[in-house]
């Protein structure tokens, strides 16, 4: 198991290096000067002195090998540069917003697991009308855009019923109850599509496992249907579902842009949108790096968990 973990960690390190190189290259090797693009406004261009000053501030005035070395060492030391707009350290801005987005994604993932796994297992076990109804619901969940669902949730639960606030953010230290209330609707909007995917995956895995020989053997030994389903079917069906959950968690990190926008939630994605609008190159680059590193880390953890659940994967 140790060698398996080390192999996955090594592959993750190589992947991190390739992703960082790709991010560095995308900014510097695309046609056009990014500094002139940042400083241009309409048909007006900045003076050469201002362009050179900005180039020095962003560390773009050296040769590409020097820039690449400074880029890598800056990431290793936690220095992602400074915001062009506010002058704040990018790492501090990200550290302030990232926990909020992670909390939202984790809450949405928990909702998706608590609803999706039982729904998929129930549909596969019962079949018939239940299976058909679950298939229709999951199809709607996958097809419904998150911004449409978010708007409907605000219309129904905030403006019509008045049960929950329409949006905003309050820290846990200021008001724990209000903090939780403000988290519910964004998490539900974010979780619907993921719930549908988990339910579909669980249904397919359960149906496949129910046809295995060991399940028929357990039934022949006189075990009750509930015991056979819980011990021999559902448990063995969760291995592929775990992989989907891990990959979906990483995907949700990039899906929070619209949710945070609809619910006015000040997370990392809303900071990314603001930075793109303000052409804050350093912040955009820092956020892209952090999201990419988190995605790689999550995939490594999923691979290791998958190896723990299924020893054949370690070969």
């Amino acid at each position: 198991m140790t060698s398996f973990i080390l192999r996955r960690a090594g592959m993750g390190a190589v992947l991190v290096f390739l992703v960082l190189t790709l991010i560095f290259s995308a900014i510097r090797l695309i046609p056009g000067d990014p500094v002139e693009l940042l400083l241009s406004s309409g048909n007006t261009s900045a003076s050469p002195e201002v362009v050179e000053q900005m180039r020095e501030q962003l560390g773009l005035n050296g040769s590409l090998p020097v820039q690449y070395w400074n880029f890598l060492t800056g990431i290793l030391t936690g220095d992602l540069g400074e915001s062009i707009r506010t002058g704040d350290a990018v790492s501090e801005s990200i550290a302030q917003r990232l926990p909020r987005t992670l909390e939202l994604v984790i809450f949405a993932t928990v909702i998706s697991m608590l609803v999706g796994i039982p729904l998929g297992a129930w549909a596969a076990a019962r079949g018939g009308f239940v299976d058909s109804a679950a298939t229709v619901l999951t199809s709607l969940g996958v097809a419904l855009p998150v911004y449409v669902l978010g708007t409907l949730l605000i219309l129904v639960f905030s403006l019509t019923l008045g049960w929950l606030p329409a949006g905003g953010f309050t820290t846990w230290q200021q008001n724990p109850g209000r903090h939780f209330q403000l988290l519910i609707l964004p998490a539900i909007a974010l979780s619907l599509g993921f719930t549908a995917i988990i339910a579909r995956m669980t249904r397919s895995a359960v149906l496949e496992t129910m046809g295995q020989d060991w399940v028929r053997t357990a039934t022949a030994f006189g075990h009750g249907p509930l015991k056979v389903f819980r011990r021999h079917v559902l448990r063995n069906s969760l291995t592929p579902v775990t992989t989907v959950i891990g990959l979906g968690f990483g995907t949700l990190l990039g899906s929070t842009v619209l949710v945070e926008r609809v619910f006015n939630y000040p997370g990392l994605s809303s900071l990314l949108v603001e930075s793109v609008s303000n052409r804050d190159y350093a912040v955009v680059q820092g956020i892209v790096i952090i999201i990419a590193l988190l995605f790689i880390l999550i995939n490594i953890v999923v691979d290791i968990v998958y190896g723990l659940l299924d020893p054949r994967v370690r070969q």
Side-chain angles (χ1 to χ4, degrees):
M1 186 63 195
T2 304
S3 61
F4 173 75
I5 295 175
L6 291 176
R7 284 202 307 272
R8 286 294 180 270
M11 291 174 62
V14 173
L15 196 55
V16 166
F17 176 76
L18 293 176
V19 168
L20 292 178
T21 303
L22 182 63
I23 294 173
F24 174 85
S25 304
I27 298 293
R28 287 152 177 90
L29 299 182
I30 57 176
D33 190 332
V35 176
E36 293 184 358
L37 182 63
L38 285 170
L39 297 176
S40 64
S41 175
N43 295 325
T44 306
S45 301
S47 64
E49 293 77 12
V50 175
V51 171
E52 188 60 30
Q53 184 181 358
M54 178 62 71
R55 199 188 303 278
E56 184 176 353
Q57 180 183 345
L58 295 176
L60 298 175
N61 54 345
S63 62
L64 279 180
V66 172
Q67 291 183 40
Y68 187 56
W69 174 254
N70 293 334
F71 174 76
L72 293 180
T73 54
I75 292 173
L76 290 175
T77 57
D79 181 10
L80 299 175
E82 295 180 350
S83 168
I84 299 171
R85 186 169 59 91
T86 64
D88 297 336
V90 174
S91 55
E92 292 181 2
S93 300
I94 293 176
Q96 183 185 17
R97 298 290 192 99
L98 181 60
R100 301 172 185 173
T101 296
L102 287 178
E103 182 184 31
L104 176 61
V105 172
I106 291 172
F107 194 26
T109 303
V110 171
I111 293 175
S112 301
M113 292 171 58
L114 292 178
V115 177
I117 293 176
L119 178 62
W122 188 39
R126 294 297 298 273
F129 173 77
V130 174
D131 191 16
S132 301
T135 301
V136 172
L137 289 176
T138 53
S139 298
L140 286 174
V142 172
L144 194 62
V146 67
Y147 58 89
V148 174
L149 176 63
T151 306
L152 288 175
L153 290 175
I154 292 175
L155 180 64
V156 174
F157 293 101
S158 298
L159 301 181
T160 304
L161 300 176
W163 290 355
L164 293 167
F169 178 79
T170 300
T171 63
W172 178 267
Q173 292 78 9
Q174 290 175 331
N175 190 334
R178 182 73 175 174
H179 176 83
F180 183 70
Q181 283 183 334
L182 291 168
L183 195 61
I184 293 177
L185 290 185
I188 292 175
L190 189 63
S191 66
L192 183 67
F194 194 25
T195 301
I197 293 173
I198 291 177
R200 284 189 169 194
M201 191 67 207
T202 304
R203 174 185 174 276
S204 300
V206 167
L207 286 175
E208 183 179 350
T209 307
M210 287 173 69
Q212 298 297 323
D213 291 339
W214 72 76
V215 177
R216 287 193 290 269
T217 302
T219 304
F221 271 102
H223 296 300
L226 184 60
K227 184 177 180 180
V228 171
F229 185 80
R230 190 179 67 250
R231 282 194 176 183
H232 301 286
V233 176
L234 186 59
R235 182 180 295 180
N236 288 287
S237 302
L238 292 181
T239 304
V241 178
T242 303
T243 305
V244 171
I245 292 173
L247 295 175
F249 183 87
T251 305
L252 286 185
L253 282 173
S255 304
T256 55
V257 173
L258 292 174
V259 172
E260 292 185 2
R261 203 67 177 173
V262 169
F263 291 96
N264 193 26
Y265 191 86
L268 190 65
S269 296
S270 60
L271 177 62
L272 176 62
V273 174
E274 294 167 9
S275 302
V276 170
S277 301
N278 294 318
R279 298 180 179 180
D280 202 335
Y281 154 82
V283 178
V284 172
Q285 178 179 268
I287 293 174
V288 172
I289 290 171
I290 294 300
I291 290 178
L293 295 181
L294 282 175
F295 197 88
I296 293 171
L297 177 63
I298 291 168
N299 276 276
I300 293 173
V301 172
V302 170
D303 281 348
I304 293 173
V305 172
Y306 199 52
L308 288 171
L309 294 174
D310 188 353
R312 295 172 296 179
V313 179
R314 304 176 202 166
Q315 303 302 321

